[in-house]
Amino acid sequence: MKEESFDVWCRIPTQMRYQRAYLEKINSQILDEFSQRIPNSRPSNTDMPQDYLYEEEELGPSRYPVYDRNELSRLRHCKLKNLTFDGPEVWTNMDWLGQFENQTEMKHQLLVLNKE
């Protein structure tokens, strides 16, 4: 990678992942922003996200789905003193922050259980 290269990470709404026109518009806006902030830079894009290159059927669902907190709150959970449940069904989201928050809560529950 050249020292004058930049990586740009842009969060795209799930429903827009495969909309090539939308992705091209965002790409154009990013390039315009770099042009304005770094005069005479002539920025260009080297790669588009995989979602741009493939169809939805080829890639499948997003790796990190986000679940609605209201939906999760409606699920019935049996509270047992000697059993804890951990899995995607109870996670709010599956990104690193979400997993960390879930594991922190699980640790807290185990510490409370250990004190009893």
Side-chain angles (χ1 to χ4, degrees):
M1 180 162 154
K2 298 178 183 178
E3 62 186 42
E4 64 269 0
S5 296
F6 294 93
D7 285 334
V8 175
W9 289 82
C10 180
R11 190 170 183 180
I12 303 292
T14 302
Q15 66 271 19
M16 302 303 279
R17 288 177 63 202
Y18 299 100
Q19 304 297 321
R20 289 191 175 130
Y22 178 79
L23 295 173
E24 288 170 355
K25 176 184 168 192
I26 295 296
N27 179 51
S28 176
Q29 289 174 346
I30 290 169
L31 293 176
D32 289 345
E33 190 68 30
F34 271 95
S35 293
Q36 290 174 9
R37 290 179 180 238
I38 308 171
N40 301 321
S41 62
R42 288 181 269 136
S44 63
N45 182 8
T46 56
D47 287 319
M48 289 295 277
Q50 277 192 337
D51 303 351
Y52 180 84
L53 304 173
Y54 300 98
E55 297 297 322
E56 185 172 9
E57 295 80 29
E58 294 176 276
L59 285 181
S62 172
R63 182 174 175 196
Y64 300 118
V66 178
Y67 300 102
D68 184 0
R69 287 185 190 274
N70 294 330
E71 296 268 330
L72 290 175
S73 66
R74 284 190 268 156
L75 293 175
R76 293 183 188 174
H77 297 289
C78 183
K79 297 279 186 183
L80 301 173
K81 286 189 167 217
N82 63 347
L83 180 68
T84 57
F85 178 73
D86 183 36
E89 296 86 357
V90 297
W91 299 345
T92 304
N93 55 35
M94 295 185 189
D95 63 0
W96 290 110
L97 180 61
Q99 289 183 23
F100 179 74
E101 289 173 354
N102 182 64
Q103 291 169 5
T104 302
E105 178 61 28
M106 180 62 65
K107 177 185 169 193
H108 174 72
Q109 289 175 9
L110 291 172
L111 290 173
V112 168
L113 182 65
N114 192 31
K115 288 180 183 179
E116 292 179 355

